[in-house]
Amino acid sequence: QSLRRMVWFMFFFSVAAFGLWVVDQVACEHLHALPGGLPNPQFHAWWHVLNGLACHFAMQGSMALRQSIVSRSAPSTKWCLWSLMAFVVPGRQRGQG
Protein backbone atom coordinates (compact mmCIF):
# COMPACT_ATOMS: atom_id res chain seq x y z
CA GLN A 1 0.00 0.00 0.00
CA SER A 2 2.87 2.38 0.76
CA LEU A 3 4.41 1.75 -2.65
CA ARG A 4 1.09 2.41 -4.35
CA ARG A 5 0.74 5.65 -2.41
CA MET A 6 4.22 6.76 -3.54
CA VAL A 7 3.30 6.10 -7.17
CA TRP A 8 0.10 8.13 -6.82
CA PHE A 9 2.00 11.05 -5.28
CA MET A 10 4.57 10.87 -8.10
CA PHE A 11 1.79 10.85 -10.70
CA PHE A 12 -0.10 13.72 -9.02
CA PHE A 13 2.97 15.95 -8.70
CA SER A 14 4.02 15.23 -12.29
CA VAL A 15 0.59 16.09 -13.71
CA ALA A 16 0.27 19.21 -11.54
CA ALA A 17 3.75 20.38 -12.57
CA PHE A 18 2.99 19.81 -16.23
CA GLY A 19 -0.31 21.70 -15.92
CA LEU A 20 1.39 24.69 -14.31
CA TRP A 21 4.12 24.66 -16.93
CA VAL A 22 1.54 24.71 -19.75
CA VAL A 23 -0.35 27.59 -18.12
CA ASP A 24 2.93 29.47 -17.69
CA GLN A 25 3.87 28.94 -21.34
CA VAL A 26 0.46 29.97 -22.67
CA ALA A 27 -0.34 32.87 -20.35
CA CYS A 28 3.08 34.21 -19.35
CA GLU A 29 2.42 37.73 -20.65
CA HIS A 30 -0.93 37.89 -18.88
CA LEU A 31 0.54 36.63 -15.61
CA HIS A 32 3.02 39.52 -15.55
CA ALA A 33 0.19 42.05 -15.81
CA LEU A 34 -2.39 40.78 -13.33
CA PRO A 35 -5.09 43.27 -12.34
CA GLY A 36 -5.10 44.99 -8.96
CA GLY A 37 -1.34 44.75 -8.57
CA LEU A 38 -1.44 41.01 -7.86
CA PRO A 39 2.00 39.42 -7.99
CA ASN A 40 2.99 36.92 -10.65
CA PRO A 41 2.25 33.41 -9.27
CA GLN A 42 5.60 32.15 -10.63
CA PHE A 43 4.26 28.93 -12.13
CA HIS A 44 7.65 28.11 -13.63
CA ALA A 45 9.16 28.06 -10.12
CA TRP A 46 6.32 25.83 -8.90
CA TRP A 47 7.02 23.55 -11.87
CA HIS A 48 10.54 23.03 -10.50
CA VAL A 49 9.28 22.37 -6.96
CA LEU A 50 6.59 19.89 -8.04
CA ASN A 51 8.92 18.08 -10.44
CA GLY A 52 11.46 17.80 -7.63
CA LEU A 53 8.81 16.18 -5.44
CA ALA A 54 7.79 13.86 -8.30
CA CYS A 55 11.44 12.81 -8.72
CA HIS A 56 11.73 12.21 -4.97
CA PHE A 57 8.70 9.90 -4.99
CA ALA A 58 9.96 8.15 -8.14
CA MET A 59 13.31 7.40 -6.49
CA GLN A 60 11.78 6.36 -3.16
CA GLY A 61 9.21 4.23 -5.01
CA SER A 62 11.89 2.47 -7.02
CA MET A 63 13.90 1.80 -3.85
CA ALA A 64 10.76 0.48 -2.11
CA LEU A 65 10.02 -1.77 -5.08
CA ARG A 66 13.59 -3.12 -5.05
CA GLN A 67 13.41 -3.67 -1.29
CA SER A 68 10.14 -5.58 -1.63
CA ILE A 69 11.59 -7.78 -4.39
CA VAL A 70 14.85 -8.51 -2.55
CA SER A 71 13.26 -9.16 0.85
CA ARG A 72 10.05 -10.67 -0.55
CA SER A 73 8.02 -8.58 1.91
CA ALA A 74 6.45 -5.16 2.15
CA PRO A 75 8.97 -2.31 1.99
CA SER A 76 9.86 -0.44 5.17
CA THR A 77 8.79 3.16 4.72
CA LYS A 78 8.53 6.18 6.96
CA TRP A 79 6.05 8.98 6.29
CA CYS A 80 6.56 12.40 7.82
CA LEU A 81 5.39 16.01 7.35
CA TRP A 82 1.75 15.12 7.98
CA SER A 83 2.11 11.96 5.87
CA LEU A 84 3.09 13.93 2.78
CA MET A 85 6.73 12.89 2.47
CA ALA A 86 7.94 9.30 2.23
CA PHE A 87 11.32 7.73 2.85
CA VAL A 88 12.38 4.12 2.43
CA VAL A 89 14.01 2.77 5.58
CA PRO A 90 16.98 0.56 4.70
CA GLY A 91 16.43 -2.99 5.83
CA ARG A 92 18.72 -5.94 6.20
CA GLN A 93 19.25 -7.98 3.12
CA ARG A 94 19.13 -11.73 3.19
CA GLY A 95 22.34 -13.22 4.47
CA GLN A 96 23.23 -10.23 6.67
CA GLY A 97 23.32 -10.46 10.47
Side-chain angles (χ1 to χ4, degrees):
Q1 182 181 7
S2 191
L3 180 58
R4 183 175 292 145
R5 187 173 170 195
M6 284 186 215
V7 171
W8 277 111
F9 271 112
M10 181 198 68
F11 178 75
F12 170 77
F13 286 130
S14 296
V15 169
F18 179 73
L20 289 178
W21 178 79
V22 169
V23 170
D24 188 56
Q25 294 298 310
V26 172
C28 184
E29 294 175 12
H30 301 291
L31 292 173
H32 283 290
L34 291 174
L38 292 172
N40 184 340
Q42 300 294 327
F43 287 150
H44 185 84
W46 282 107
W47 175 83
H48 283 282
V49 170
L50 294 177
N51 264 328
L53 288 169
C55 288
H56 169 78
F57 281 106
M59 291 300 295
Q60 294 297 318
S62 66
M63 289 189 303
L65 179 61
R66 182 189 183 284
Q67 189 181 59
S68 66
I69 291 170
V70 169
S71 66
R72 294 191 175 117
S73 62
S76 300
T77 56
K78 179 180 179 182
W79 290 83
C80 58
L81 294 175
W82 305 282
S83 296
L84 294 176
M85 188 60 68
F87 298 95
V88 175
V89 179
R92 293 186 184 191
Q93 294 181 2
R94 286 180 286 163
Q96 289 182 341

